[in-house]
Amino acid sequence: MNFNLRFHKALSGRKRNGGVPAAQSVPLNELENVKPTSEYASDVEKHFEDAFKEYQSDTGKAITEEDMLKLEKQMQDLTNSDEVYIGIRFNMDDMEKIVLSGRFKSQFEIGSSHGLFDPGYRMEVEEAEMGYSKNLKAQDRPIYGMLFEAKDLSKMQFSNLTSSEHYGDAVAIFKHDVKKHATVTFDDSLDSYIDSRLYPSSLLNPSRHSISTDAVHRVYNTIKGGKKVDLKNLTGLFSYAEVQIHNRQATVSNIERIIFPKGIPSFKLPLDVLEENDISWSIEK
């Protein structure tokens, strides 16, 4: 195999082996301490390397370092695009509680989850994947969302994302400035931890090691076919691009718009809460 799979310093902005500069040379100071432990990073990178050796052996297709750099450049173009947004799915019934608290809270604070509720296991994952101490204050832990694509927010559709619908029936879309406080995994970070498939990297400078190896095979064919990557071929049909929001930035003041599910009667909307707090909203088309 012709490409270098040593640790990709996506969060530090340092050069890769061979003197090739990272896509973003200036470190994102907001995320400088958010990085996997060296042990976990090594496990992910070995898994990545072994998967591609097997892929090349089975298919005869060589994936070069040039291919990987092209992939990472396209990933960066995608996540930096104004048409890609960070959003959090939530239940409409929780709208007033969220607004009154001023921010979204994790399972460590509210004692429940629409996904897996297991604070101890989540602590273990956050320590390995992001370097968070198990003694960290609950309010300083990351808040989990996902990426959405839309040329026009008023026409954004999310009902087809069945892989994430259990998280809630409405979506809070955040202002683009929150991106600099976010990391990304192009799959569920909790599920991926079990077999060390990936680790989070800066949303504005995403790493190859934030993609599941299954997806990279598909993305490779996209690049070789002259097409550009998008969220669908980065994640597949049965997953989504998970975002981890750091630095207490998942706040109500950072919300760009609330989008409610299609077909909902207006009388069921918490209009008084929205108007009192000057929150823009729309109903899914």
Side-chain angles (χ1 to χ4, degrees):
M1 187 167 294
N2 297 324
F3 72 96
N4 174 5
L5 283 171
R6 300 307 301 161
F7 184 50
H8 176 63
K9 308 282 194 313
L11 295 180
S12 70
R14 286 177 284 180
K15 292 185 177 181
R16 305 182 181 92
N17 290 351
V20 180
Q24 182 165 318
S25 60
V26 178
L28 293 174
N29 292 328
E30 292 84 356
L31 299 173
E32 62 183 350
N33 295 318
V34 181
K35 53 188 174 183
T37 63
S38 58
E39 181 180 2
Y40 184 72
S42 295
D43 288 344
V44 169
E45 287 149 23
K46 185 175 188 307
H47 180 93
F48 194 91
E49 184 171 7
D50 290 345
F52 277 100
K53 284 180 179 177
E54 183 178 353
Y55 179 70
Q56 183 172 345
S57 176
D58 292 344
T59 67
K61 296 178 179 178
I63 304 175
T64 67
E65 174 68 4
E66 183 180 357
D67 293 328
M68 289 292 97
L69 291 175
K70 185 174 182 180
L71 166 61
E72 290 178 321
K73 177 60 169 63
Q74 288 201 23
M75 290 165 61
Q76 185 183 44
D77 290 343
L78 177 70
T79 57
N80 281 262
S81 168
D82 285 343
E83 295 180 7
V84 172
Y85 295 84
I86 295 174
I88 293 180
R89 295 190 75 147
F90 67 97
N91 283 330
M92 285 179 51
D93 293 343
D94 295 329
M95 178 84 237
E96 187 170 4
K97 287 190 295 184
I98 293 169
V99 171
L100 289 176
S101 68
R103 60 186 175 89
F104 286 83
K105 297 180 179 180
S106 71
Q107 62 180 258
F108 295 96
E109 291 189 86
I110 62 177
S112 64
S113 173
H114 293 297
L116 173 68
F117 178 66
D118 190 338
Y121 182 58
R122 176 67 77 177
M123 280 185 187
E124 180 182 335
V125 174
E126 291 180 353
E127 183 176 44
E129 293 189 347
M130 292 170 260
Y132 279 116
S133 166
K134 290 182 179 179
N135 297 320
L136 190 70
K137 293 180 180 179
Q139 60 266 36
D140 289 325
R141 290 197 170 273
I143 302 297
Y144 295 83
M146 59 199 71
L147 293 182
F148 296 91
E149 286 185 281
K151 291 184 178 180
D152 183 343
L153 271 186
S154 67
K155 299 177 182 178
M156 194 195 87
Q157 295 185 318
F158 60 89
S159 293
N160 59 342
L161 292 174
T162 56
S163 59
S164 63
E165 62 185 4
H166 58 287
Y167 291 119
D169 48 15
V171 173
I173 296 293
F174 288 89
K175 299 171 183 176
H176 283 316
D177 192 57
V178 175
K179 286 185 176 183
K180 67 185 180 184
H181 298 279
T183 51
V184 63
T185 53
F186 293 93
D187 203 347
D188 186 284
S189 62
L190 208 60
D191 292 343
S192 301
Y193 172 71
I194 298 171
D195 53 5
S196 304
R197 289 203 307 269
L198 49 74
Y199 54 71
S201 59
S202 162
L203 178 62
L204 296 179
N205 191 22
S207 162
R208 65 190 71 172
H209 295 122
S210 295
I211 307 175
S212 168
T213 50
D214 294 336
V216 179
H217 303 159
R218 185 170 56 252
V219 169
Y220 163 77
N221 291 326
T222 298
I223 290 177
K224 289 296 187 181
K227 299 179 181 179
K228 288 192 174 184
V229 298
D230 56 24
L231 291 183
K232 289 182 180 178
N233 56 31
L234 284 173
T235 60
L237 297 175
F238 305 106
S239 189
Y240 58 91
E242 179 190 291
V243 173
Q244 304 86 33
I245 305 172
H246 309 275
N247 305 328
R248 302 191 188 188
Q249 293 298 304
T251 63
V252 173
S253 62
N254 279 332
I255 293 176
E256 178 82 18
R257 180 189 293 262
I258 300 289
I259 303 177
F260 296 102
K262 64 177 64 176
I264 187 169
S266 58
F267 69 84
K268 289 190 175 182
L269 300 178
L271 296 181
D272 53 341
V273 175
L274 296 167
E275 291 172 0
E276 287 173 11
N277 291 276
D278 196 28
I279 298 174
S280 298
W281 63 275
S282 59
I283 296 176
E284 184 185 16
K285 303 296 185 184

